[in-house]
Amino acid sequence: MTIRYVVFDFDGTLADTSEAFMYAWNKLADKYRYKKIKLEQIETIKKLNMKERSALLNFPLYKIPFVMPELIKLYKDSIVDITLFPGVKSLLEKLKKKGYKIAIISSNSEENIKNALKRNHADHLITDVISAKRIFGKDKTIDQFLKIKKLQASEMIYIGDEIRDIIACKKSNVKIVWVEWGYDGLEVIKSAEPDYMVKEPDEILEIVKK
């Protein structure tokens, strides 16, 4: 069946938010006495799974649902510094020109995403921005999206950078493209077996057209 919707994650997939995340995290670390992140640590952190990151940052995983709303609010302060990855805007323009509908399903807030898109002059390229309320429950949001848009799972493809994106898509029976420039490195995601893996944004267009 032909793909109708190309759906993207936001942080680490469309937008380089690593410094904004670091700023927000370090504000939380000051408040709750977690370990701070240094810019030079980011590449190393990408190679660690969630448990390893938790240990490194002295942060209990069970607290993620409790600190996420505060983290997202702090992140908002750095929205001015967020840029799209090289080649991403061109990809979105090509997808739109070919008639695909483009949406975003992300754990970030709708407000943050829309503000960042507007600052990068890409808001006109996106038809829907949806915030997944649960950081580890993105499959529920994907299922709801399919139902609302009256789509078969085969009519949508998801583009993400984290292992939780891959797991969510497999639960929803949606094909997923993993991008290597995001938050989770190959060492973290390879066991989850994404349907496709890409190194450059333009590779996504070729996959969608198949």
Side-chain angles (χ1 to χ4, degrees), residues 10-198:
F10 184 71
D11 299 84
T13 300
L14 290 179
D16 184 358
T17 59
S18 54
E19 289 193 31
F21 172 78
M22 184 181 71
Y23 167 85
W25 173 263
N26 287 345
K27 286 280 188 181
L28 276 184
D30 276 336
K31 183 175 180 180
Y32 297 114
R33 298 187 179 183
Y34 304 137
K35 287 185 180 177
K36 290 185 176 183
I37 298 172
K38 296 177 182 178
L39 190 58
E40 59 267 25
Q41 286 182 295
I42 290 176
E43 288 305 313
T44 300
I45 289 172
K46 287 180 181 181
K47 299 174 183 179
L48 305 178
N49 61 37
M50 289 295 284
K51 286 184 179 179
E52 290 167 335
R53 293 176 191 180
S54 172
L56 177 69
L57 301 173
N58 191 33
F59 173 71
L61 282 176
Y62 74 86
K63 289 190 176 181
I64 287 178
F66 305 104
V67 302
M68 275 302 291
E70 190 172 356
L71 187 68
I72 288 171
K73 285 180 183 177
L74 289 167
Y75 171 108
K76 185 180 176 181
D77 296 337
S78 297
I79 210 81
V80 68
D81 300 319
I82 292 172
T83 58
L84 301 183
F85 284 106
V88 160
K89 188 176 178 184
S90 173
L91 168 66
L92 297 176
E93 289 169 342
K94 289 173 184 174
L95 287 168
K96 187 176 178 70
K97 189 175 181 179
K98 289 189 176 294
Y100 299 105
K101 293 184 184 297
I102 306 167
I104 294 171
I105 294 177
S106 167
S107 300
N108 208 326
S109 73
E110 184 179 338
E111 180 186 9
N112 283 347
I113 295 167
K114 286 184 174 180
N115 284 341
L117 289 171
K118 191 172 183 179
R119 285 185 176 277
N120 284 273
H121 309 290
D123 50 315
H124 65 289
L125 300 170
I126 310 297
T127 58
D128 299 89
V129 175
I130 299 158
S131 177
K133 303 304 179 187
R134 293 163 54 189
I135 188 168
F136 292 113
K138 198 177 278 188
D139 56 295
K140 302 292 190 300
T141 308
I142 290 172
D143 289 344
Q144 186 178 27
F145 180 82
L146 291 170
K147 185 176 180 180
I148 290 170
K149 298 296 182 182
K150 298 179 180 179
L151 298 171
Q152 298 295 319
S154 59
E155 294 178 300
M156 167 184 160
I157 192 166
Y158 190 86
I159 323 296
D161 66 307
E162 296 182 74
I163 190 168
R164 62 192 178 93
D165 296 327
I166 300 168
I167 292 168
C169 285
K170 287 187 178 293
K171 286 181 178 179
S172 297
N173 201 30
V174 166
K175 297 287 187 185
I176 178 162
V177 180
W178 170 78
V179 302
E180 76 160 18
W181 56 82
Y183 280 109
D184 283 357
L186 181 60
E187 299 87 347
V188 177
I189 65 91
K190 60 184 177 182
S191 63
E193 299 181 340
D195 298 291
Y196 306 97
M197 298 190 288
V198 299

